[in-house]
Amino acid sequence: MPHRQHSRSGPAVRADIDSGVAELVADADRPRAWTLRVDGIPQSHVDLDDPLYLEFEYMRRLGHLTDLAAPAGQPLRVLHLGGGGLTLARYVAASRPGSSQLAVDSDGALVGLVRRLLPLDQPSRRASGGRPSGGRPGGGRPSGGRAANGSTGRVRVRVGDARTVLGQLPAGSFDLVIADLFTGARTPAHATTVEFAADAAAALSPAGIFAANMGDGPPLTHARARVATVRAVFPHACLIADPGVMRGRRFGNLVLAASRKELPLGALAGRAAGDPFPGRVLGGAELDRFAAGARPVVDAEAEASPAPPLDLFDVRW
């Protein structure tokens, strides 16, 4: 979830949640868009008028993966480990109507805040007397996009620990499992291991895709270990990131994808290169070299992902 913020910001709504203090900060450039920050760290960006708009760089990488996971418009079964503002769930609901989705988040108060102020079903909220428009989240009917339930499929939200819930799900019940798990700005240790990846593999269909967002910086020790970890479970994997991050020049987000089937590396590379935030895709022999010498991480040895630099989340415009 954590992401370096670049857009201009406006007024904020603040609320205490289980994991700290949440802020919904208005996007000064988009009338009904909001950035969710927890203890000052950007977690999600949601545009209530346009669920197909993805602001954060790493979220765009995950969007590319969902776009290429099946033929355009085909419904998918998607598990989101880490809910935040439900940005990607909204994107899937709008781009693949009829998709069945489950989002898991450990912060019940945050889930309640998002349900109240960034509701998935805008038209029905409005019709039943939801908040009017006027500078607060959730107000008014969207002028674009589609609601994330009803005709576009169902998005369920469950409060609980992602690893625990993952282990309880029926085998083969999802086409995509997306792990965007952070406590503050770090991925918890128990979501970085071979055992966690094995649980994700069990929940996936034979052709399903597992994807994980992570944060790392020079010398990318954590990212290399995460690659080795998923490759201990899945025969195919790739890594997507900003070239500067990939080369170990700065701290940033990297998206790791893995599957039992071959991944669409060429199409992913094309989308990453042509994105407003250009990225690089490593797979095959290049990924072999990237992860050379790294060992898979098991539960008994796991550590949380590294903490980012203190100034990483400063707002810049």
Side-chain angles (χ1 to χ4, degrees):
M1 289 182 187
H3 176 87
R4 187 170 52 179
Q5 185 85 27
H6 292 279
S7 60
R8 298 186 304 131
S9 59
V13 176
R14 293 178 175 83
D16 291 331
I17 57 173
D18 299 338
S19 56
V21 177
E23 295 176 281
L24 286 172
V25 183
D27 186 332
D29 299 316
R30 302 181 72 88
R32 285 182 6 99
W34 302 82
T35 295
L36 170 65
R37 299 169 70 94
V38 176
D39 291 338
I41 300 171
Q43 301 285 327
S44 303
H45 181 278
V46 174
D47 189 329
L48 295 173
D49 288 338
D50 185 3
L52 295 176
Y53 177 76
L54 300 177
E55 167 80 9
F56 289 178
E57 176 184 314
Y58 83 86
M59 190 61 70
R60 298 181 66 83
R61 318 287 190 217
L62 292 172
H64 296 157
L65 279 168
T66 65
D67 289 345
L68 296 170
Q74 178 177 310
L76 292 173
R77 301 167 300 166
V78 185
L79 173 63
H80 305 267
L81 299 175
L86 302 174
T87 304
L88 196 63
R90 299 168 200 266
Y91 180 87
V92 172
S95 61
R96 296 183 176 278
S99 293
S100 175
Q101 303 186 76
L102 172 64
V104 181
D105 200 291
S106 61
D107 193 319
L110 177 59
V111 168
L113 181 71
V114 170
R115 281 175 170 158
R116 292 193 308 274
L117 301 184
L118 301 176
L120 288 165
D121 191 353
Q122 294 296 315
S124 68
R125 292 274 298 193
R126 177 64 169 167
S128 61
R131 275 190 193 85
S133 180
R136 290 180 64 85
R141 184 186 180 113
S143 60
R146 302 180 67 180
N149 61 6
S151 64
T152 57
R154 184 182 179 199
V155 180
R156 295 173 294 141
V157 181
R158 184 181 302 181
V159 177
D161 174 74
R163 174 80 178 266
T164 300
V165 173
L166 180 61
Q168 297 169 346
L169 296 171
S173 53
F174 292 94
D175 305 305
L176 276 172
V177 173
I178 298 169
D180 189 12
L181 292 164
F182 288 84
T183 299
R186 306 178 70 183
T187 299
H190 73 308
T192 69
T193 67
V194 170
E195 293 88 344
F196 176 76
D199 284 346
L204 282 167
S205 63
I209 296 174
F210 170 65
N213 173 40
M214 73 183 88
D216 200 9
L220 296 176
T221 302
H222 178 78
R224 298 179 203 278
R226 292 284 292 276
V227 170
T229 297
V230 299
R231 289 175 117 191
V233 176
F234 296 94
H236 304 283
C238 72
L239 193 63
I240 315 166
D242 173 273
V245 174
M246 195 85 79
R247 296 188 182 105
R249 293 176 179 171
R250 65 175 180 84
F251 197 101
N253 293 84
L254 304 96
V255 170
L256 177 60
S259 180
R260 297 185 185 94
K261 69 168 187 175
E262 289 191 11
L263 294 163
L265 296 182
L268 279 171
R271 292 193 178 217
D275 193 81
F277 301 102
R280 183 181 176 196
V281 177
L282 291 187
E286 287 187 310
L287 195 62
D288 290 341
R289 290 190 289 272
F290 177 86
R295 294 190 306 113
V297 178
V298 296
D299 280 346
E301 302 171 352
E303 298 179 352
S305 65
L310 294 177
D311 62 350
L312 182 67
F313 303 115
D314 289 348
V315 177
R316 304 173 186 184
W317 54 78

Short mmCIF file of all heavy atoms in Angstrom, two decimals, residues 210-242:
data_model
loop_
_atom_site.label_atom_id
_atom_site.label_comp_id
_atom_site.label_asym_id
_atom_site.label_seq_id
_atom_site.Cartn_x
_atom_site.Cartn_y
_atom_site.Cartn_z
N PHE A 210 -0.62 -15.10 -8.71
CA PHE A 210 -0.36 -14.49 -7.41
C PHE A 210 0.46 -13.24 -7.64
O PHE A 210 1.44 -13.25 -8.40
CB PHE A 210 0.40 -15.46 -6.51
CG PHE A 210 0.93 -14.86 -5.24
CD1 PHE A 210 0.07 -14.39 -4.27
CD2 PHE A 210 2.29 -14.76 -5.01
CE1 PHE A 210 0.55 -13.83 -3.08
CE2 PHE A 210 2.79 -14.21 -3.85
CZ PHE A 210 1.91 -13.74 -2.88
N ALA A 211 0.09 -12.14 -7.00
CA ALA A 211 0.85 -10.89 -7.12
C ALA A 211 1.02 -10.27 -5.75
O ALA A 211 0.11 -10.33 -4.92
CB ALA A 211 0.15 -9.92 -8.07
N ALA A 212 2.17 -9.67 -5.52
CA ALA A 212 2.45 -9.04 -4.24
C ALA A 212 3.15 -7.71 -4.46
O ALA A 212 4.09 -7.62 -5.25
CB ALA A 212 3.31 -9.95 -3.37
N ASN A 213 2.68 -6.69 -3.75
CA ASN A 213 3.36 -5.40 -3.72
C ASN A 213 4.30 -5.38 -2.53
O ASN A 213 3.93 -5.80 -1.43
CB ASN A 213 2.33 -4.28 -3.60
CG ASN A 213 2.98 -2.92 -3.40
OD1 ASN A 213 3.99 -2.62 -4.00
ND2 ASN A 213 2.37 -2.11 -2.53
N MET A 214 5.51 -4.90 -2.75
CA MET A 214 6.49 -4.81 -1.66
C MET A 214 7.26 -3.51 -1.77
O MET A 214 7.32 -2.89 -2.83
CB MET A 214 7.46 -6.00 -1.72
CG MET A 214 8.46 -5.93 -2.86
SD MET A 214 9.54 -7.36 -2.96
CE MET A 214 8.55 -8.42 -4.00
N GLY A 215 7.87 -3.11 -0.68
CA GLY A 215 8.75 -1.96 -0.67
C GLY A 215 10.16 -2.39 -0.34
O GLY A 215 10.37 -3.21 0.56
N ASP A 216 11.12 -1.86 -1.06
CA ASP A 216 12.53 -2.19 -0.78
C ASP A 216 13.41 -1.12 -1.40
O ASP A 216 12.98 -0.33 -2.25
CB ASP A 216 12.88 -3.57 -1.34
CG ASP A 216 14.13 -4.18 -0.69
OD1 ASP A 216 14.61 -3.60 0.31
OD2 ASP A 216 14.61 -5.21 -1.17
N GLY A 217 14.68 -1.09 -0.94
CA GLY A 217 15.66 -0.16 -1.46
C GLY A 217 17.03 -0.82 -1.48
O GLY A 217 17.16 -2.01 -1.18
N PRO A 218 18.04 -0.06 -1.85
CA PRO A 218 19.39 -0.62 -1.96
C PRO A 218 19.79 -1.36 -0.69
O PRO A 218 19.53 -0.85 0.40
CB PRO A 218 20.28 0.62 -2.17
CG PRO A 218 19.34 1.69 -2.66
CD PRO A 218 18.01 1.40 -2.07
N PRO A 219 20.33 -2.58 -0.81
CA PRO A 219 20.74 -3.32 -2.03
C PRO A 219 19.70 -4.33 -2.50
O PRO A 219 20.06 -5.31 -3.15
CB PRO A 219 22.00 -4.03 -1.56
CG PRO A 219 21.71 -4.36 -0.12
CD PRO A 219 20.89 -3.22 0.42
N LEU A 220 18.42 -4.12 -2.19
CA LEU A 220 17.31 -4.96 -2.65
C LEU A 220 17.40 -6.39 -2.10
O LEU A 220 16.93 -7.34 -2.74
CB LEU A 220 17.23 -4.99 -4.17
CG LEU A 220 16.91 -3.64 -4.85
CD1 LEU A 220 16.95 -3.78 -6.36
CD2 LEU A 220 15.55 -3.11 -4.40
N THR A 221 17.95 -6.54 -0.92
CA THR A 221 18.06 -7.87 -0.31
C THR A 221 16.69 -8.49 -0.09
O THR A 221 16.49 -9.70 -0.34
CB THR A 221 18.82 -7.76 1.03
OG1 THR A 221 20.10 -7.18 0.79
CG2 THR A 221 18.98 -9.13 1.67
N HIS A 222 15.74 -7.69 0.38
CA HIS A 222 14.40 -8.21 0.65
C HIS A 222 13.73 -8.65 -0.66
O HIS A 222 13.13 -9.74 -0.72
CB HIS A 222 13.55 -7.15 1.34
CG HIS A 222 12.15 -7.57 1.60
ND1 HIS A 222 11.81 -8.41 2.64
CD2 HIS A 222 10.98 -7.27 0.95
CE1 HIS A 222 10.50 -8.62 2.62
NE2 HIS A 222 9.99 -7.94 1.61
N ALA A 223 13.80 -7.82 -1.69
CA ALA A 223 13.16 -8.15 -2.96
C ALA A 223 13.75 -9.42 -3.57
O ALA A 223 13.02 -10.27 -4.10
CB ALA A 223 13.30 -6.98 -3.94
N ARG A 224 15.07 -9.58 -3.48
CA ARG A 224 15.70 -10.78 -4.03
C ARG A 224 15.23 -12.03 -3.28
O ARG A 224 14.96 -13.07 -3.88
CB ARG A 224 17.23 -10.65 -3.96
CG ARG A 224 17.77 -9.48 -4.78
CD ARG A 224 19.29 -9.36 -4.65
NE ARG A 224 19.74 -8.02 -4.96
CZ ARG A 224 19.94 -7.54 -6.18
NH1 ARG A 224 19.72 -8.31 -7.23
NH2 ARG A 224 20.36 -6.30 -6.38
N ALA A 225 15.11 -11.91 -1.97
CA ALA A 225 14.64 -13.04 -1.18
C ALA A 225 13.17 -13.35 -1.48
O ALA A 225 12.78 -14.53 -1.52
CB ALA A 225 14.82 -12.76 0.31
N ARG A 226 12.37 -12.33 -1.72
CA ARG A 226 10.96 -12.56 -2.04
C ARG A 226 10.83 -13.27 -3.38
O ARG A 226 9.94 -14.11 -3.58
CB ARG A 226 10.20 -11.23 -2.06
CG ARG A 226 10.06 -10.56 -0.70
CD ARG A 226 9.03 -11.22 0.19
NE ARG A 226 7.68 -11.06 -0.29
CZ ARG A 226 6.91 -10.00 -0.06
NH1 ARG A 226 7.36 -8.97 0.65
NH2 ARG A 226 5.67 -9.95 -0.53
N VAL A 227 11.68 -12.92 -4.34
CA VAL A 227 11.67 -13.62 -5.63
C VAL A 227 12.01 -15.09 -5.43
O VAL A 227 11.33 -15.99 -5.94
CB VAL A 227 12.64 -12.96 -6.62
CG1 VAL A 227 12.81 -13.83 -7.87
CG2 VAL A 227 12.16 -11.57 -7.02
N ALA A 228 13.08 -15.35 -4.68
CA ALA A 228 13.46 -16.74 -4.41
C ALA A 228 12.34 -17.49 -3.69
O ALA A 228 12.11 -18.68 -3.94
CB ALA A 228 14.74 -16.77 -3.58
N THR A 229 11.63 -16.79 -2.83
CA THR A 229 10.56 -17.41 -2.04
C THR A 229 9.41 -17.86 -2.93
O THR A 229 8.95 -19.00 -2.84
CB THR A 229 10.06 -16.42 -0.98
OG1 THR A 229 11.13 -16.13 -0.07
CG2 THR A 229 8.88 -16.98 -0.21
N VAL A 230 8.91 -16.99 -3.80
CA VAL A 230 7.78 -17.40 -4.64
C VAL A 230 8.21 -18.43 -5.67
O VAL A 230 7.42 -19.30 -6.06
CB VAL A 230 7.09 -16.19 -5.33
CG1 VAL A 230 6.54 -15.23 -4.30
CG2 VAL A 230 7.99 -15.50 -6.31
N ARG A 231 9.47 -18.37 -6.09
CA ARG A 231 9.93 -19.36 -7.07
C ARG A 231 10.10 -20.74 -6.45
O ARG A 231 10.19 -21.73 -7.18
CB ARG A 231 11.25 -18.89 -7.70
CG ARG A 231 11.07 -17.72 -8.64
CD ARG A 231 12.39 -17.21 -9.14
NE ARG A 231 12.51 -17.35 -10.57
CZ ARG A 231 13.65 -17.19 -11.25
NH1 ARG A 231 14.75 -16.90 -10.58
NH2 ARG A 231 13.68 -17.33 -12.54
N ALA A 232 10.13 -20.81 -5.14
CA ALA A 232 10.13 -22.12 -4.48
C ALA A 232 8.76 -22.77 -4.55
O ALA A 232 8.63 -23.98 -4.29
CB ALA A 232 10.55 -21.96 -3.02
N VAL A 233 7.74 -21.99 -4.91
CA VAL A 233 6.36 -22.49 -4.97
C VAL A 233 5.82 -22.50 -6.40
O VAL A 233 5.15 -23.45 -6.82
CB VAL A 233 5.45 -21.63 -4.07
CG1 VAL A 233 3.98 -22.07 -4.18
CG2 VAL A 233 5.91 -21.69 -2.62
N PHE A 234 6.09 -21.44 -7.16
CA PHE A 234 5.56 -21.28 -8.51
C PHE A 234 6.69 -21.43 -9.54
O PHE A 234 7.78 -20.87 -9.35
CB PHE A 234 4.94 -19.90 -8.68
CG PHE A 234 3.74 -19.63 -7.82
CD1 PHE A 234 3.86 -19.00 -6.59
CD2 PHE A 234 2.47 -19.99 -8.26
CE1 PHE A 234 2.75 -18.74 -5.81
CE2 PHE A 234 1.35 -19.72 -7.48
CZ PHE A 234 1.49 -19.10 -6.25
N PRO A 235 6.43 -22.10 -10.66
CA PRO A 235 7.48 -22.27 -11.68
C PRO A 235 7.74 -21.03 -12.51
O PRO A 235 8.79 -20.92 -13.15
CB PRO A 235 6.95 -23.41 -12.54
CG PRO A 235 5.47 -23.37 -12.37
CD PRO A 235 5.24 -22.91 -10.96
N HIS A 236 6.82 -20.07 -12.53
CA HIS A 236 6.97 -18.88 -13.36
C HIS A 236 6.79 -17.64 -12.49
O HIS A 236 5.89 -17.58 -11.65
CB HIS A 236 5.95 -18.87 -14.49
CG HIS A 236 6.00 -20.09 -15.35
ND1 HIS A 236 6.97 -20.27 -16.31
CD2 HIS A 236 5.21 -21.20 -15.38
CE1 HIS A 236 6.76 -21.44 -16.91
NE2 HIS A 236 5.73 -22.02 -16.36
N ALA A 237 7.65 -16.63 -12.71
CA ALA A 237 7.57 -15.40 -11.92
C ALA A 237 8.16 -14.25 -12.71
O ALA A 237 8.93 -14.43 -13.67
CB ALA A 237 8.32 -15.56 -10.60
N CYS A 238 7.79 -13.04 -12.31
CA CYS A 238 8.40 -11.84 -12.87
C CYS A 238 8.33 -10.72 -11.83
O CYS A 238 7.57 -10.80 -10.86
CB CYS A 238 7.73 -11.41 -14.17
SG CYS A 238 6.07 -10.71 -14.01
N LEU A 239 9.13 -9.70 -12.05
CA LEU A 239 9.20 -8.55 -11.16
C LEU A 239 9.02 -7.29 -11.99
O LEU A 239 9.63 -7.16 -13.06
CB LEU A 239 10.56 -8.53 -10.45
CG LEU A 239 10.74 -7.61 -9.25
CD1 LEU A 239 9.81 -8.02 -8.11
CD2 LEU A 239 12.20 -7.65 -8.78
N ILE A 240 8.19 -6.36 -11.49
CA ILE A 240 7.86 -5.14 -12.23
C ILE A 240 8.14 -3.95 -11.32
O ILE A 240 7.66 -3.91 -10.18
CB ILE A 240 6.39 -5.11 -12.66
CG1 ILE A 240 5.96 -6.45 -13.26
CG2 ILE A 240 6.13 -3.97 -13.65
CD1 ILE A 240 4.46 -6.61 -13.40
N ALA A 241 8.89 -2.97 -11.83
CA ALA A 241 9.21 -1.80 -11.00
C ALA A 241 9.80 -0.70 -11.86
O ALA A 241 10.20 -0.91 -13.01
CB ALA A 241 10.19 -2.17 -9.89
N ASP A 242 9.86 0.47 -11.27
CA ASP A 242 10.59 1.59 -11.86
C ASP A 242 12.04 1.17 -12.08
O ASP A 242 12.65 0.53 -11.20
CB ASP A 242 10.52 2.78 -10.90
CG ASP A 242 11.37 3.94 -11.34
OD1 ASP A 242 12.56 3.96 -10.99
OD2 ASP A 242 10.84 4.83 -12.03
#
